[in-house]
């Protein structure tokens, strides 16, 4: 009796299993799109670059006050006095206090290694300032700083304010997208297709400043009969987009 009962049940299980194996398997995305269809979708990839060039609207002047003294405290005190004088000269000329920032400060011993034993020569202190002004005031800042006791003008960078940079980048991105779309349309037309929409987009890009003229304190001091004049270069803001379009 038990053998006759088990056999039909076993046969029914085999039939059900065969039915499950014969049913087609389908995978769908969260949105319900058939995964096979999505995988086989036709796409066109294109990279576009856009550039916008404009005059710099910000100058960044790097100023250093340095000195050497017999003791670290003497070096620190001398530099502190000279930096205070430089700050006062700049603010008296209308440079905003928050436009003058410290970017570096250090004190270290200097040695003479020419003999068998090193010999302490003194202590060197350096205080570096970053000054942001309009480009046409960069030369004036150099003259004021050197006249007030600055030891070096370590560099001048002509660049863009954040507001101007954002404005130009938006325009550069628009040009980059237009460039990528034109290339995609050309490829689609040559392939007998049309661009149906954007599948993905990736954004990159950078801003390329103009040349960095560099002036040193002694160069500015030589122009005792006149003011320091600098010629800022243009700034180019570029943007790159990598687009993937759906085509049909």
């Amino acid at each position: 009796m038990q053998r006759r009962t088990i056999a039909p049940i076993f046969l029914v299980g085999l039939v059900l299993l065969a039915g499950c194996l014969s049913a087609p398997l389908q995978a769908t995305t969260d949105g319900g799109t058939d995964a096979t269809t999505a995988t086989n979708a036709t796409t066109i990839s294109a990279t576009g670059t856009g550039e916008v060039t404009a005059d710099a609207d910000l100058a960044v002047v790097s100023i250093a006050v340095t000195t050497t003294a017999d003791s670290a405290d003497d070096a620190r005190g001398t530099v502190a006095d000279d930096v205070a004088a430089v700050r006062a000269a700049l603010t008296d000329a209308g440079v905003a206090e928050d436009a003058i920032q410290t970017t570096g400060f250090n004190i270290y011993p200097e040695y003479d290694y020419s003999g068998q034993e090193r010999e302490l020569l003194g202590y060197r202190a350096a205080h570096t300032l970053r000054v942001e002004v309009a480009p046409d005031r960069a030369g004036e800042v150099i003259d004021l700083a050197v006249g007030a006791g600055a030891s070096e003008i370590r560099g001048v960078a002509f660049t863009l304010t954040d507001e101007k940079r954002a404005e130009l980048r938006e325009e550069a991105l628009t040009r980059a997208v237009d460039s990528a779309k034109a290339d995609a349309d050309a490829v689609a037309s040559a392939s007998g297709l049309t661009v149906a929409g954007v599948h993905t987009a990736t954004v990159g890009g950078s801003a390329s400043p103009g040349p960095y003229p560099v002036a040193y304190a002694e160069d500015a001091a030589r122009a005792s009969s006149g003011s320091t004049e600098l010629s800022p270069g243009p700034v180019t803001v570029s943007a790159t987009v990598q687009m993937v379009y759906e085509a049909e």
Side-chain angles (χ1 to χ4, degrees), residues 133-170:
V133 292
D136 59 359
R137 297 200 66 187
E140 177 189 358
V141 166
I142 290 173
D143 294 341
L144 289 170
V146 173
S151 308
E152 302 174 34
I153 304 300
R154 293 187 172 177
V156 182
F158 294 103
T159 183
L160 300 171
T161 58
D162 291 340
E163 295 79 9
K164 186 65 174 181
R165 187 184 302 276
E167 176 187 337
L168 296 181
R169 180 163 172 77
E170 182 177 350

Side-chain angles (χ1 to χ4, degrees), residues 62-68 75 77-90 124-129 140-154 216-218 220-221:
S62 180
I63 301 169
V65 176
T66 64
T67 192
T68 301
T78 300
V79 165
D81 291 341
D82 289 345
V83 168
V86 170
R87 286 183 180 273
L90 295 177
R124 184 173 181 82
H127 190 147
T128 308
L129 299 173
E140 177 189 358
V141 166
I142 290 173
D143 294 341
L144 289 170
V146 173
S151 308
E152 302 174 34
I153 304 300
R154 293 187 172 177
Y216 293 93
E218 55 268 25

Side-chain angles (χ1 to χ4, degrees), residues 14-185:
L14 290 177
V15 171
L16 290 176
L17 179 60
C20 291
L21 293 175
S22 63
L25 296 177
Q26 292 184 342
T28 60
T29 63
D30 292 341
T33 303
D34 186 87
T36 302
T37 301
T39 302
N40 294 334
T42 301
T43 60
I44 298 175
S45 300
T47 299
T49 300
E51 292 185 347
V52 182
T53 301
D55 292 334
D57 67 344
L58 178 67
V60 181
V61 184
S62 180
I63 301 169
V65 176
T66 64
T67 192
T68 301
D70 292 336
S71 70
D73 190 55
D74 287 344
R76 178 206 58 77
T78 300
V79 165
D81 291 341
D82 289 345
V83 168
V86 170
R87 286 183 180 273
L90 295 177
T91 55
D92 289 347
V95 178
E97 290 186 5
D98 60 0
I100 307 171
Q101 300 179 349
T102 294
T103 56
F105 180 85
N106 57 65
I107 301 176
Y108 54 91
E110 290 190 328
Y111 296 96
D112 179 5
Y113 293 93
S114 60
Q116 293 183 350
E117 296 183 0
R118 70 178 186 179
E119 178 184 355
L120 178 64
L121 298 178
Y123 292 84
R124 184 173 181 82
H127 190 147
T128 308
L129 299 173
R130 170 191 172 100
V131 182
E132 296 183 354
V133 292
D136 59 359
R137 297 200 66 187
E140 177 189 358
V141 166
I142 290 173
D143 294 341
L144 289 170
V146 173
S151 308
E152 302 174 34
I153 304 300
R154 293 187 172 177
V156 182
F158 294 103
T159 183
L160 300 171
T161 58
D162 291 340
E163 295 79 9
K164 186 65 174 181
R165 187 184 302 276
E167 176 187 337
L168 296 181
R169 180 163 172 77
E170 182 177 350
E171 184 177 348
L173 282 170
T174 299
R175 294 185 180 185
V177 171
D178 290 343
S179 175
K181 180 62 163 55
D183 286 348
D185 285 337

